[in-house]
Amino acid sequence: MTRGEDALATAGWYDGRDVRDDALSAVLRTVALVEPVTDGATWALFPAAERALREFHGLHLCPAGPGQDVAATGCVVDPTEARHALRPFTLLGESTGSRLFPFGRTDTDGLLAVDEEGRLFSIDHGGRWQLGDTVREGFATLTEGRAPHRIAARRWAWSAPPTEDGKPLVNAVRTALVAVYVLHHRQVFSARDLRLTVTTLRGIGVEALDRTVPLPGGSLEESAAPLAARMEALIEAEGATMKGAELKVTVRAPQDTTAPLSSVSCAVRTGHSAKAPAMTELSLSAGPGASVSRARAAVQACSEDLARYARHPDHRAADV
């Protein structure tokens, strides 16, 4: 038995504990005492939250030592203690793609909530955190002082050397198609188009062009040259110029992609540096919700693949 499990037993938990009446009474008070926010959102109980509250409601856990990574803290399980945090937990649920229900409060005034997958989350003055993939794992994080996982947007960027032909737009398109492959291979999403943006004055001037170009069928490698040619034609038709401008090719999630993977995107830009106008930058970005659980693992795998490609751009996409 770990120290976290000792803390749980000391608080009065036992296998098979079910305080149904007390838990549901607290749920009713939580829902009834909070007015909907401006967009009409309200607290809604779901099975994972009900199970967790029936098992743990009313417990007050104490720290099980000084803490392994951070200071250990206790918590009280009572949804009314976090009922006023409807807006921040609603926003957190929108980013993760999973609703949350208030669960309690830590001894340091962090607010607790459980989501539809049974994960335990906290919001405090330091940010938003995932405490565990289960409530019991989250309790151990708190009482044993384990480092929680911060929920935050992330961005990676790499420099890819220019191609031998010296055509920045062609290189940007080829690099973007590598990103298309990686995102599909890692089951993040299958892109259907590329977005071309041309901004004057190395990216700080006016937006001269912003167009979406559908991806053709067939091999991604064979698509690079035709796509670049089509983009060049769009730039000329708009009366824009690539000289002294930033060219950005973005790989976005299709409209039917659900959160949190809908927040993931790749961008390739070139021409943004006056000192090295042919330099190509590849970046991967992901919203807060993609920093937890399965989405986090998929996005991390993408970042590792793209980093390998940036180090060895002569590799074929399928070799990444």
Side-chain angles (χ1 to χ4, degrees):
M1 180 177 289
T2 67
R3 289 186 299 169
E5 291 173 328
D6 283 338
L8 195 56
T10 301
W13 177 87
Y14 52 88
D15 191 26
R17 185 176 188 270
D18 185 354
V19 290
R20 177 182 181 278
D21 292 343
D22 288 344
L24 295 184
S25 177
V27 167
L28 289 175
R29 292 196 304 274
T30 297
V31 174
L33 295 176
V34 175
E35 294 184 3
V37 292
T38 54
D39 61 0
T42 59
W43 290 123
L45 185 66
F46 41 81
E50 180 179 348
R51 288 193 298 269
L53 286 168
R54 288 176 60 169
E55 182 175 0
F56 300 111
H57 175 73
L59 298 181
H60 188 170
L61 283 73
C62 296
Q68 296 179 14
D69 307 305
V70 297
T73 183
C75 66
V76 60
V77 181
D78 182 349
T80 64
E81 291 288 327
R83 68 180 186 275
H84 60 282
L86 177 58
R87 167 55 65 187
F89 277 128
T90 296
L91 293 175
L92 178 56
E94 289 174 354
S95 72
T96 62
S98 182
R99 293 178 300 166
L100 292 110
F101 195 83
F103 194 67
R105 180 188 295 270
T106 71
D107 292 349
T108 55
D109 289 331
L111 303 178
L112 300 175
V114 64
D115 79 342
E116 292 175 287
E117 296 185 28
R119 301 176 295 191
L120 189 62
F121 293 86
S122 173
I123 294 179
D124 60 22
H125 64 280
R128 302 185 291 181
W129 313 87
Q130 182 186 0
L131 302 177
D133 286 333
T134 65
V135 170
R136 292 184 63 173
E137 185 178 304
F139 285 155
T141 296
L142 291 171
T143 59
E144 296 180 18
R146 301 177 186 174
H149 178 72
R150 180 184 290 276
I151 303 172
R154 295 180 295 166
R155 183 180 185 274
W156 299 261
W158 307 271
S159 292
T163 54
E164 294 180 357
D165 57 22
K167 295 182 179 180
L169 182 55
V170 174
N171 188 37
V173 172
R174 285 175 177 165
T175 304
L177 291 176
V178 170
V180 169
Y181 170 80
V182 168
L183 291 165
H184 171 77
H185 177 65
R186 293 301 179 180
Q187 300 182 350
V188 176
F189 58 75
S190 297
R192 298 173 189 149
D193 54 50
L194 299 177
R195 191 173 196 90
L196 171 66
T197 309
V198 180
T199 309
T200 62
L201 299 178
R202 305 291 181 197
I204 63 173
V206 299
E207 195 172 85
L209 178 68
D210 185 20
R211 293 286 295 274
T212 297
V213 182
L215 287 171
S219 167
L220 290 177
E221 287 185 320
E222 295 175 355
S223 300
L227 277 170
R230 183 174 179 185
M231 290 180 181
E232 288 182 6
L234 287 173
I235 293 172
E236 292 178 5
E238 199 67 25
T241 178
M242 291 185 282
K243 186 176 181 179
E246 176 192 271
L247 308 178
K248 183 165 72 172
V249 181
T250 308
V251 184
R252 306 171 305 161
Q255 289 187 351
D256 56 359
T257 307
T258 57
L261 295 178
S262 58
S263 70
V264 179
S265 68
C266 280
V268 182
R269 64 173 182 162
T270 187
H272 55 285
S273 171
K275 291 183 178 180
M279 182 179 70
T280 301
E281 180 195 77
L282 167 63
S283 64
L284 170 68
S285 60
S291 65
V292 298
S293 299
R294 292 186 296 272
R296 177 191 180 196
V299 172
Q300 185 63 41
C302 287
S303 73
E304 293 168 359
D305 289 345
L306 293 174
R308 281 194 293 272
Y309 171 78
R311 290 193 298 269
H312 306 286
D314 54 326
H315 287 184
R316 294 164 56 92
D319 296 328
V320 170

